[in-house]
Amino acid sequence: MITIRTATTEDAPQIALLGRVTFTETFSEYFRDPQDLFDYFEKTFNVAKIRNSIENANNKFWIAHWNDLPIGYAKLKVHSPSPFIDVSTVSQLQKIYVLKEFLDKRAGKILMEKLMSSFNDSAQTHIWLSVLNSNERAINFYYKNGFSKVGEHQFTIGKETFDFFALSKQKI
């Protein structure tokens, strides 16, 4: 059974590990140099950085469990302007990561519902995200949740440059 709760700083080690594992499951094949991936993990999924991010009032985290096992998390960044949206009341869906073996258990859907409920209760009017343009499963998931493409951009990690779609949704 899946349970979702608001994450606390005590969850930072689990979130950092989930970030590393889920990112590896999804993106490791795109990296020619394993050191680039490791360096990215040390920067992005550093326990202290995650802990500080959880403490930041502009960020909201949720963690998903399957029978007490942490299996995924989501992060919403409130007040996160986008070059693709011409309003200031914008939030960013920064992460919805679920361990591969639990993707069919609908944890992503439940995390999305929690995140969108928080967004809908806020003063923000738009929400946006970036998704790798070849990640069809994720793109379809976001389209099913009412997001639409608003732009394209690139992101570089180490020696690799990735093409992303920017997707957005306006509060109704």
Side-chain angles (χ1 to χ4, degrees):
M1 173 162 171
I2 295 174
T3 57
I4 309 283
R5 65 171 171 75
T6 301
T8 68
T9 55
E10 292 175 5
D11 296 310
Q14 292 88 352
I15 289 172
L17 184 59
L18 283 166
R20 288 172 185 244
V21 172
T22 55
F23 194 93
T24 298
E25 289 176 340
T26 307
F27 302 110
S28 64
E29 67 188 74
Y30 299 105
F31 288 85
R32 292 170 287 173
D33 184 349
Q35 188 65 44
D36 286 344
L37 193 56
F38 183 80
D39 292 345
Y40 179 73
F41 289 164
E42 288 296 291
K43 178 182 166 193
T44 306
F45 300 115
N46 171 293
V47 174
K49 180 178 181 181
I50 299 289
R51 190 174 289 120
N52 288 338
S53 189
I54 291 170
E55 290 175 342
N56 182 330
N58 248 10
N59 298 325
K60 298 179 183 204
F61 284 79
W62 295 268
I63 189 164
H65 289 86
W66 175 269
N67 297 328
D68 296 326
L69 178 71
I71 62 164
Y73 76 100
K75 178 185 178 189
L76 176 69
K77 183 175 182 182
V78 181
H79 308 297
S80 183
S82 166
F84 305 103
I85 302 170
D86 195 24
V87 296
S88 61
T89 52
V90 183
S91 290
Q92 182 183 10
L93 188 169
Q94 283 197 330
K95 296 184 177 33
I96 291 188
Y97 286 178
V98 176
L99 293 171
K100 189 175 269 187
E101 73 179 276
F102 293 95
L103 287 173
D104 66 343
K105 305 292 186 209
R106 303 172 57 93
K109 180 182 185 315
I110 299 168
L111 283 165
M112 175 67 89
E113 288 169 356
K114 286 284 189 189
L115 186 144
M116 290 306 298
S117 176
S118 178
F119 165 72
N120 286 327
D121 289 344
S122 76
Q124 305 296 288
T125 60
H126 293 73
I127 185 168
W128 73 282
L129 61 94
S130 290
V131 60
L132 187 66
N133 69 356
S134 61
N135 189 343
E136 291 182 25
R137 181 184 184 112
I139 292 167
N140 289 333
F141 172 77
Y142 294 126
Y143 284 163
K144 285 179 188 172
N145 281 280
F147 286 81
S148 58
K149 183 178 166 188
V150 293
E152 299 180 17
H153 65 97
Q154 292 185 317
F155 186 73
T156 299
I157 300 173
K159 296 173 217 51
E160 311 301 333
T161 298
F162 300 94
D163 294 316
F164 281 82
F165 291 150
L167 306 181
S168 176
K169 181 175 181 176
Q170 185 172 351
K171 191 185 295 182
I172 299 172

